[in-house]
Amino acid sequence: MYGGPVVSLLLYGVIIATRYVLGISDILMYIISLLPTYCIAWLAMKGYDAASLRMKAVIAVLACALIKLVTFTTYLITKGQLYLLTNNPMETIATYVFQSFILVMGVLIIEFMRRYSRIQDEVVNTERMKLVSEIAASVAHEIRNPLTSVRGFIQLLGTKELTPEKKEQYKAICFAELDRAEGIISDYLSLARNDLEVIEEIDLNAELGYMFNLLLNYANFNNIRLHVSYYEESKLAVMGDRHKFRQVLLNIGKNAIEAMPNGGDLSLELSKQAGTAVIRIADTGIGMSADQVKRLGTPYYSTKDKGTGLGTMVSFNIVKKMGGMIHIDSEPGKGTTFVLQFQNISI
């Protein structure tokens, strides 16, 4: 349930090896009887992570009981010994109850450890955010005015020693660096003011269309094919700050385009799953390693050479303020998928 399909196959291998060492009479028939139950395990995995604690315990117990029942029934039928399954019903029931108890305890321990780990991560991130917000509030305001003044003086640049071509070249370089500095300052200020200023109903289909039109020219310029898929069954909306929500989509969308230097496909998709609104932003770019994904959204970490990571960090906080979650699935060389999930939806 927690390790996934690959780990499950390995565990099946351990079971078969154990039976072989214990000297089962017909190991080949046991393997044939056992392997079809992998479908039961695979079906139990679907939706397991999203289930409640009580439901996880129920799923684990039922899956275990079904796997044993199907395996032993099939095996004993082929051996003509089905009577062994019901020969001592009280002992069989006691075994099932004891193993179910062990399973439930295992689920509780694992869930406790996972929850404890998440709480630790949240505490660390909260302290980090507090520190960054204090720095942003004190530093950003002091830097903005001098940079704006420098920009004005650069426009007046005009010495006789410089050729017109050199002047234009230097001016372009200075403006590019100043624009980058302005972007960093804006990110700092966003960290200092990350509360939602206006709470309103946001039509997700409309916002997806707005973002599609906004990114279209940038995508075409970078040889990116842009695709959009709306939720057409009904209106799908969430509550939050429309402008900050657009900032999140724009930040993720631009990063996705910049992650495809040789062109590719960028997909925007809106769907509804289990009572939640889900936005998927998927690219076919360079992708990220597991370590890079884990560090994404932390201060001063970026996969871009001249990035600060603050834009992504701000996006993560905005989504969290709106009661949502961000999940990232990425693989080097195969692209990245951002999944934004919101629970407080209206239709």
Side-chain angles (χ1 to χ4, degrees):
M1 299 299 100
Y2 293 95
V6 175
V7 173
S8 296
L9 280 176
L10 293 175
L11 291 174
Y12 268 79
V14 171
I15 293 172
I16 294 170
T18 303
R19 289 288 181 184
Y20 178 78
V21 172
L22 292 176
I24 194 168
S25 60
D26 192 343
I27 188 64
L28 180 61
M29 186 52 63
Y30 179 77
I31 293 173
I32 294 173
S33 303
L34 179 66
L35 288 183
T37 63
Y38 184 78
C39 296
I40 297 174
W42 182 77
L43 289 173
M45 293 176 204
K46 301 185 69 173
Y48 184 81
D49 282 338
S52 63
L53 178 59
R54 181 179 298 177
M55 186 56 64
K56 286 180 178 179
V58 171
I59 291 172
V61 170
L62 290 179
C64 177
L66 281 173
I67 289 171
K68 288 170 55 182
L69 190 61
V70 171
T71 301
F72 289 144
T73 301
T74 305
Y75 178 78
L76 293 175
I77 287 175
T78 59
K79 302 292 290 183
Q81 300 175 337
L82 186 59
Y83 66 92
L84 292 176
L85 194 62
T86 57
N87 190 33
N88 195 341
M90 294 306 298
E91 183 177 337
T92 302
I93 292 173
T95 301
Y96 274 60
V97 170
F98 178 74
Q99 291 185 346
S100 297
F101 173 76
I102 297 298
L103 272 173
V104 171
M105 292 301 298
V107 169
L108 291 175
I109 291 172
I110 293 174
E111 288 296 321
F112 173 80
M113 293 174 65
R114 294 176 76 182
R115 187 170 299 178
Y116 179 75
S117 178
R118 285 196 297 267
I119 291 174
Q120 278 190 317
D121 290 340
E122 289 180 2
V123 169
V124 171
N125 288 333
T126 299
E127 292 296 324
R128 188 182 291 125
M129 278 300 304
K130 182 179 179 181
L131 176 62
V132 172
S133 296
E134 292 174 352
I135 296 174
S138 60
V139 174
H141 288 292
E142 297 178 9
I143 296 179
R144 181 183 289 274
N145 289 335
L147 285 178
T148 303
S149 299
V150 171
R151 185 184 181 111
F153 280 108
I154 290 178
Q155 289 176 322
L156 300 176
L157 181 65
T159 57
K160 295 181 180 180
E161 291 80 7
L162 292 176
T163 63
E165 291 79 10
K166 283 290 184 181
K167 289 180 181 179
E168 291 300 320
Q169 180 184 358
Y170 293 162
K171 185 186 291 186
I173 293 173
C174 291
F175 275 122
E177 290 302 307
L178 282 171
D179 287 338
R180 191 167 72 88
E182 282 287 328
I184 295 173
I185 292 172
S186 297
D187 287 339
Y188 270 113
L189 290 176
S190 295
L191 285 175
R193 306 191 302 264
N194 60 2
D195 290 333
L196 304 181
E197 298 174 2
V198 178
I199 305 297
E200 58 185 323
E201 186 179 78
I202 303 173
D203 186 339
L204 296 180
N205 275 317
E207 292 306 311
L208 214 63
Y210 176 84
M211 191 53 50
F212 176 84
N213 293 326
L214 200 62
L215 292 173
L216 187 58
N217 288 335
Y218 190 42
N220 289 336
F221 181 77
N222 289 275
N223 196 28
I224 306 296
R225 292 175 293 276
L226 198 56
H227 312 277
V228 62
S229 177
Y230 301 102
Y231 181 74
E232 299 180 350
E233 295 182 17
S234 62
K235 176 184 176 183
L236 198 57
V238 296
M239 301 302 295
D241 189 320
R242 186 186 309 276
H243 297 290
K244 290 188 179 296
F245 181 71
R246 288 177 176 176
Q247 179 184 349
V248 172
L249 296 184
L250 180 62
N251 179 272
I252 297 175
K254 288 184 66 177
N255 286 343
I257 291 173
E258 291 168 1
M260 296 182 281
N262 300 318
D265 292 274
L266 176 60
S267 301
L268 312 175
E269 178 188 353
L270 175 63
S271 62
K272 181 185 175 186
Q273 297 179 5
T276 63
V278 179
I279 298 176
R280 284 185 173 84
I281 303 175
D283 66 63
T284 57
I286 58 177
M288 294 180 287
S289 65
D291 182 63
Q292 288 175 316
V293 171
K294 186 176 181 180
R295 296 179 63 188
L296 206 62
T298 58
Y300 310 115
Y301 178 76
S302 174
T303 57
K304 295 184 289 188
D305 293 337
K306 294 185 178 181
T308 63
L310 296 177
T312 305
M313 186 176 180
V314 169
S315 298
F316 276 47
N317 281 316
I318 292 173
V319 171
K320 186 176 181 180
K321 290 283 184 179
M322 292 177 60
M325 298 181 297
I326 294 183
H327 174 72
I328 305 170
D329 184 19
S330 185
E331 187 174 345
K334 294 188 177 181
T336 302
T337 299
F338 278 78
V339 181
L340 284 65
Q341 190 170 11
F342 299 94
Q343 295 182 341
N344 301 322
I345 64 173
S346 56
I347 301 176

